Amino acid sequence: MIDPFYNPVVPSHVPADRVHDFNIYAPLQDGMDPYQSVRHIVDSALPDLFWTRNNGGHWVALRSGPIEEIARDPVTFSCKRMLIPDECNFETPWFVPSMADPPEHSGYRAILNPMFSPRKMEARRAEVAELTGQLIDELRPRGECEFMTDFAQQMPVMIFLRLLDLPQEDRPRLIRIAHDLVNPPTGDDARDAGIKRMFDYLRPFVAERLANPGDDVLSQIVNARHQGRPMDEEERIGVASNVLQGGLDTVTAVLGWISKYLAEAPAVRRRLNEQPDRIPAAVEEILRRHPPTTHTRRLAADTRLHGLELRRNDQIAWISAMYNLDEQHCPHAMDVDIDRKRIATFSFGIGTHICLGIFLARMELAVFVKEWLARIPDFSIKPGTTLSYRTGSAIAIDALPLIWPK
């Protein structure tokens, strides 16, 4: 992958032995899948922190130790300009609370957390199961599907459109927007165009729910007060966009990885069908092994981390798998063990910016596994398939052709 943002200039405070070119948006090694590629660099002789000249130049936090320190210090490591390269950022952060720091961040989360509480999400389980079952029932008679297009892109969008009370016929439009938002930055400003389309899509709905609120999540967002004051229009749209985007492409990616794993693990499929109470633990472990996200922070002040001087406005990035697949943190990390004792992971983040939709995502994924295995217990990847992968803000399988007995 050619990097149009490659910056050969290394800042004076970066030691020469800490410079190693690595494109965090294109980590693939020849002959390896994305997670084998990440594990390859985690296992390398590279230090826990190094500087890459790719994507404008930034630090990479390679393993669980520095990643956790960064994630638990939102004052020093800011999310306001969380895109790399830096020129991809807007002067006003457009997705809040993801692009907000304390204390503003806590104010936005105080609005949103009750809407996505474990109790609220559990109350939606039957509805999610019904939608999921209907989608699988449409596919089952065919004996095959291209899972990413036919199911993984559809299910999370259907659920979020229901949560926000938006038209189901808008699914194709939102899938295209989500794709643009998580692509790596390119010279054609695809991400900027995706953001504009998301805002343009939501703007009339935000105005309508402000004037005529219902009991849906979008109505609750636009009529909420942030730290005692009404939000302005751009804030309302930014929060709504953040919520909607958060439920689309990352869940789509995880559905693909779960399905790929189960397609290749018939013994695990049988066990989960016989012991459905193990499904939540299995989902957590498969997700630990295949976390899809990439993260970035910007230094709000000079600091020292692992013996290195980091300067204000430096950027630092990592892939979630650099945490989850670190053998120092998780022994036998490349193995999927659904009986593994639960450990901390970066699958949903750590610290202040832990995923808002964690309880919804866990429920969605568990419902999917249960409903799919109940209807299609035996399935496999279509023979002759060579998988390809999309990397960037979310690591995903491009296409996953599955087959099963009719």
Side-chain angles (χ1 to χ4, degrees):
M1 176 181 178
I2 297 173
D3 178 6
F5 299 102
Y6 186 85
N7 181 6
V9 179
V10 177
S12 60
H13 64 283
V14 176
D17 63 354
R18 294 298 179 114
V19 179
H20 176 83
D21 289 343
F22 174 76
N23 191 337
I24 203 156
Y25 291 134
L28 289 178
Q29 302 285 320
D30 289 344
M32 299 182 186
D33 72 24
Y35 298 103
Q36 292 168 336
S37 299
V38 170
R39 177 57 184 262
H40 175 76
I41 192 170
V42 169
D43 283 349
S44 73
L46 286 170
D48 287 354
L49 287 172
F50 65 88
W51 182 271
T52 175
R53 290 169 288 197
N54 290 101
N55 295 301
H58 62 87
W59 295 100
V60 175
L62 184 54
R63 299 181 183 91
S64 58
I67 291 171
E68 183 150 0
E69 289 183 49
I70 294 162
R72 294 195 183 280
D73 184 0
V75 174
T76 304
F77 299 95
S78 169
C79 281
K80 283 188 175 180
R81 298 179 68 86
M82 62 186 298
L83 300 180
I84 53 172
D86 187 56
E87 51 257 52
C88 290
N89 288 288
F90 290 88
E91 290 309 311
T92 301
W94 37 265
F95 272 2
V96 287
S98 290
M99 290 183 168
D101 294 331
E104 290 82 7
H105 175 269
S106 57
Y108 291 119
R109 288 297 291 255
I111 294 169
L112 295 170
N113 285 348
M115 303 178 198
F116 292 90
S117 68
R119 181 179 62 83
K120 288 284 183 69
M121 295 302 97
E122 187 60 32
R124 297 223 174 228
R125 183 179 291 270
E127 178 184 17
V128 170
E130 180 183 4
L131 285 170
T132 303
Q134 289 172 357
L135 196 52
I136 299 169
D137 287 340
E138 293 173 6
L139 298 175
R140 183 169 54 172
R142 292 164 40 179
E144 64 178 332
C145 74
E146 194 293 283
F147 181 81
M148 301 307 296
T149 300
D150 294 338
F151 187 91
Q153 292 181 2
Q154 308 302 323
M155 176 196 169
V157 180
M158 290 170 63
I159 292 167
F160 255 82
L161 290 175
R162 184 73 66 90
L163 276 172
L164 275 66
D165 192 20
L166 297 171
Q168 286 290 334
E169 56 266 28
D170 290 348
R171 266 190 285 166
R173 181 179 178 184
L174 287 173
I175 288 168
R176 288 193 299 271
I177 291 171
H179 179 270
D180 284 348
L181 286 173
V182 298
N183 271 347
T186 62
D188 62 4
D189 297 324
R191 179 180 285 159
D192 292 5
I195 295 165
K196 184 178 185 304
R197 286 202 298 276
M198 176 73 86
F199 276 40
D200 289 347
Y201 171 76
L202 283 171
R203 199 175 299 277
F205 292 108
V206 166
E208 192 271 332
R209 302 300 164 81
L210 191 61
N212 301 292
D215 59 1
D216 57 278
V217 168
L218 182 57
S219 292
Q220 294 174 56
I221 289 171
V222 302
N223 289 281
R225 298 177 71 85
H226 178 254
Q227 297 180 329
R229 60 166 179 81
M231 292 187 287
D232 62 33
E233 181 186 28
E234 294 306 304
E235 276 183 293
R236 295 183 182 110
I237 295 172
V239 174
S241 297
N242 199 167
V243 168
L244 184 56
Q245 169 61 18
L248 301 184
D249 203 76
T250 50
V251 178
T252 295
V254 173
L255 285 166
W257 291 112
I258 289 176
S259 298
K260 176 184 181 296
Y261 171 77
L262 291 175
E264 298 173 329
V268 175
R269 293 200 307 268
R270 287 192 296 270
R271 182 177 173 193
L272 296 181
N273 246 340
E274 295 166 1
Q275 300 176 303
D277 60 305
R278 295 301 303 163
I279 289 175
V283 165
E284 205 75 18
E285 172 65 359
I286 299 168
L287 180 54
R288 180 203 62 76
R289 173 61 173 75
H290 305 91
T293 52
T294 299
H295 302 265
T296 306
R297 299 289 190 269
R298 191 183 194 200
L299 273 290
D302 294 354
T303 193
R304 292 191 68 83
L305 182 66
H306 283 232
L308 287 175
E309 180 184 4
L310 277 62
R311 295 277 181 86
R312 183 175 180 270
N313 295 331
D314 282 358
Q315 290 183 291
I316 188 163
W318 65 93
I319 299 169
S320 292
M322 291 173 171
Y323 185 101
N324 287 9
L325 301 182
D326 180 0
E327 201 76 14
Q328 297 298 315
H329 174 69
C330 178
H332 310 291
M334 294 297 283
D335 298 334
V336 173
D337 177 4
I338 66 172
D339 296 311
R340 187 188 297 272
K341 183 179 179 180
R342 194 160 180 176
I343 61 170
T345 74
F346 217 92
S347 303
F348 293 103
I350 287 174
T352 303
H353 283 273
I354 193 168
C355 175
L356 170 68
I358 182 172
F359 303 113
L360 173 60
R362 282 174 169 159
M363 184 266 286
E364 284 179 290
L365 297 170
V367 164
F368 156 68
V369 173
K370 181 178 180 180
E371 298 299 324
W372 184 278
L373 292 180
R375 291 165 168 81
I376 307 176
D378 295 310
F379 63 100
S380 60
I381 299 172
K382 191 173 184 178
T385 298
T386 299
L387 295 180
S388 61
Y389 309 99
R390 170 169 58 80
T391 57
S393 297
I395 298 172
I397 301 168
D398 281 325
L400 182 63
L402 301 178
I403 59 171
W404 57 85
K406 290 187 180 181

